[in-house]
Amino acid sequence: DGRMPRIVALDWDDQQLRLAIAQQQAKELTLEALVSLPLETTAEAGAAPADAIIRLIQQAVADHRSRHADTIVAVRRAEVELRPLKLPPVPPEELPEIVRFQAMREFSELADDWPIDFYPVEDGGTEETTVLAAAINPTRLAELQKVVEQSELKLRSLVLRPCAAAVLVPHVPGQTETDVQLMVDDFGSAIELTVLREQTAVFMRTVQPPATEDPTGPARVDYLAGEIRRTILAVRNQLGGHPVQRIVLFGAGAAHEELCGRLQERLQLEVHEIDPLRSVHLSPSLKRQTPPDIGRFAAAIGTLQEQARQQRPAIDFLNPRRVPPPRSRRNLLAAIGL
């Protein structure tokens, strides 16, 4: 129908399915739709069955004419094995083999068929390099691939949710590249707390918030403040004496602004709110009506921005970093023959 290519960003937890649908032209991205749908969990599995999720995605994709669109899925921190690894200085092209070798020794659960991806978090020069390595169970990977394929979409990347959400943090005003920040990504059934140093995620943890009728009330503030303090304490040794300088929360609106103000008063730290829509172009229909739980779309919008800029995700289980293939001598031999 002459439309620009569509990209779908997708993630879900035990309570909610979220889709962000965008059109891309060159490096310009226009957000077309944000869809959030409740999931009904089963007592036996503790999560919504895959066929129910597929039906919901199929309907949303059909409603927004996005069948067969390239799709990026964000997986939660709790679904992967994640660990920092200290490695000897080696050439970059040898890192994938060294990371897998070290991960097989240090990860609690890991087999030869688990996809592993990683990214550097500290370059020690001639001493050692620290990377953050992540692995996902191939059974879970196959389940995610099946959901996307049966939803009439094309899976292109499988990214780590905190890393995708972190793409939006450089838009916080007044920060420098060397700042240490703690990012709070609340998507309802869980909260992911991620420490960023030089805009790179160096530590991630997930907590399960208690059910509350008032998500911005005193009980919620007490809970968040306590978990933020625990996270700062847990990561202290990894930061080499650099303190966490600010807290970043995703969301928008008066209630979210009030929550940020209460947290700042409680923690005596800067607390900034990020509206995930601040840094993207919106379609006219989305400008007229945006969802109230906009903070829950941080990872989806962050990964769409990466796609538009043609940036490789920090972690991509579908396309992990690999040892480059040996250079072919065919062109050299052909040139000699000529």
Side-chain angles (χ1 to χ4, degrees):
D1 59 0
R3 287 175 169 268
M4 291 181 285
R6 294 286 179 95
I7 308 171
V8 175
L10 179 64
D11 78 298
W12 63 90
D13 53 74
D14 297 338
Q15 297 176 355
Q16 190 183 59
L17 169 73
R18 291 170 290 273
L19 291 95
I21 301 170
Q23 286 188 345
Q24 184 175 355
Q25 186 175 34
K27 291 191 177 182
E28 280 293 309
L29 194 77
T30 301
L31 202 55
E32 290 284 313
L34 295 171
V35 181
S36 59
L37 300 166
L39 293 176
E40 292 186 10
T41 58
T42 60
E44 300 81 20
D51 56 351
I53 294 170
I54 291 166
R55 284 196 298 271
L56 287 174
I57 297 173
Q58 284 176 333
Q59 187 60 57
V61 166
D63 289 346
H64 294 90
R65 293 183 286 177
S66 299
R67 282 195 182 100
H68 311 299
D70 286 351
T71 300
I72 307 156
V73 174
V75 295
R76 292 169 287 167
R77 159 67 185 94
E79 293 188 273
V80 306
E81 284 266 334
L82 187 73
R83 187 162 298 188
L85 301 175
K86 293 190 179 296
L87 308 172
V90 296
E93 63 271 15
E94 294 179 20
L95 268 178
E97 271 189 1
I98 298 293
V99 167
R100 176 167 285 278
F101 174 77
Q102 193 72 5
M104 294 293 288
R105 298 172 61 190
E106 295 195 24
F107 277 44
S108 57
E109 274 189 72
L110 195 64
D112 287 336
D113 58 344
W114 283 48
I116 298 177
D117 202 8
F118 66 93
Y119 59 89
V121 294
E122 190 173 358
D123 185 0
T126 57
E127 297 298 320
E128 61 183 11
T129 296
T130 303
V131 304
L132 201 61
I136 189 168
N137 190 312
T139 303
R140 179 57 177 157
L141 175 58
E143 289 170 356
L144 294 169
Q145 288 175 310
K146 178 183 173 183
V147 166
V148 173
E149 288 167 7
Q150 295 193 2
S151 302
E152 300 179 85
L153 295 167
K154 290 185 275 188
L155 185 60
R156 288 290 178 259
S157 291
L158 189 65
V159 303
L160 187 57
R161 184 186 170 92
C163 294
V167 173
L168 302 179
V169 173
H171 297 282
V172 173
Q175 67 169 313
T176 66
E177 287 190 1
T178 57
D179 285 355
V180 178
Q181 303 172 93
L182 194 155
M183 179 181 77
V184 181
D185 185 5
D186 183 348
F187 51 90
S189 66
I191 300 172
E192 289 176 338
L193 298 109
T194 305
V195 176
L196 307 173
R197 181 180 58 201
E198 298 179 9
Q199 301 177 357
T200 299
V202 297
F203 180 84
M204 310 173 201
R205 64 185 288 256
T206 304
V207 295
Q208 306 289 331
T212 175
E213 293 182 4
D214 184 0
T216 60
R220 188 68 160 191
V221 173
D222 287 344
Y223 176 78
L224 272 176
E227 293 301 339
I228 287 169
R229 287 194 186 100
R230 288 184 190 94
T231 306
I232 291 172
L233 194 61
V235 80
R236 180 176 293 173
N237 290 340
Q238 285 180 238
L239 295 177
H242 297 284
V244 171
Q245 292 159 286
R246 68 173 59 80
I247 313 298
V248 176
L249 280 80
F250 297 108
H256 188 262
E257 194 174 331
E258 184 181 348
L259 173 64
C260 290
R262 288 179 176 179
L263 272 175
Q264 181 162 303
E265 185 179 336
R266 179 69 57 84
L267 294 166
Q268 296 298 298
L269 279 170
E270 287 181 43
V271 178
H272 288 270
E273 63 173 344
I274 295 183
D275 179 350
L277 299 180
R278 186 185 298 163
S279 55
V280 292
H281 297 291
L282 305 181
S283 67
S285 60
L286 202 53
K287 280 181 181 176
R288 288 192 297 270
Q289 187 173 12
T290 56
D293 54 351
I294 189 59
R296 298 186 184 189
F297 287 93
I301 294 171
T303 202
L304 285 173
Q305 284 201 339
E306 270 184 329
Q307 183 76 10
R309 298 172 192 157
Q310 299 175 355
Q311 293 177 339
R312 188 201 188 278
I315 296 290
D316 185 351
F317 294 111
L318 205 65
N319 310 287
R321 290 169 172 83
R322 292 187 172 93
V323 175
R327 289 183 180 178
S328 170
R329 300 183 65 201
R330 184 180 301 168
N331 292 343
L332 175 62
L333 294 173
I336 292 171
L338 286 172

